[in-house]
Amino acid sequence: LSRMSHDIRTPLNGIIGLLQVDETHFDDKALLLENHKKMQISANHLLSLINDVLQMSKLEEGTTVLTHERISLVELTRDIITIIIGRAEEAGIEWEYEKDKSIIPYPYIYGSPLHLRQIFLNIYTNCIKYNKIGGSISTLFTCVNTADTQVTYRWTITDTGIGMSEAFLKHIFDPFAQERADARSIHHGTGLGMTIVKGLIEQMQGTIEVRSQEQVGSTFIITIPFEIAEQATPAEPTTPS
């Protein structure tokens, strides 16, 4: 709570300040609209902070419930790319998904789509947030194992961002961990994202490995086993669009 208090107060104080400005400028429609946009951004950021804390609480208490739904990996990939690619373009970062190398022998699996999206959106958001203008993000998707009714897939996500020191890598999954003291102010992060990612992946019986070098970039290797969904056959391999 002590670590979160500053993060919560910052957007809240911004909203309060803008409301006070609006009270004395009701006749200035342009200013009101501009302040409204700023308040919306601050409110959304505040909501994301609270959501992260609630998610962490659920993981620590063991009350996070993963669903068992039939998922199309092609559609899941398309949804994630749709959300992320615009953010990457706005930040001046090149996006590359190596679809020609990404064969999906079993395109339909059972899993929890909400939490899978959360895992990858957290990782991709970090890859954008801690990248550089003109940098890039690439993803390689591979099938590493099949056995009976189970298939194991691996995502290797690499960015050309600012990277992390070897010392910080040992703490990357610790709650509230951030390498730089000004990270919360500059990047608007809580330091909970990777903790949540690791907790969800482990609940899915998967693993995550992170490699990084300062001023070179970072690589995130996510490996997760899935139950093969009904009617899925290896006859016609599929690639993400």
Side-chain angles (χ1 to χ4, degrees), residues 174-234:
D174 294 351
F176 302 104
Q178 290 185 324
E179 184 162 19
R180 293 163 180 80
D182 59 353
R184 283 183 170 80
S185 300
I186 296 174
H187 301 292
H188 303 294
T190 62
L192 290 175
M194 292 307 297
T195 312
I196 292 171
V197 163
K198 188 172 188 289
L200 290 175
I201 290 175
E202 289 182 343
Q203 195 164 343
M204 296 177 184
Q205 309 304 311
T207 61
I208 179 170
E209 179 186 353
V210 184
R211 303 168 185 168
S212 189
Q213 186 177 345
E214 289 184 283
Q215 302 308 317
V216 175
S218 302
T219 297
F220 302 84
I221 304 168
I222 303 98
T223 306
I224 304 175
F226 297 97
E227 179 185 350
I228 298 170
E230 300 166 0
Q231 300 178 350
T233 66

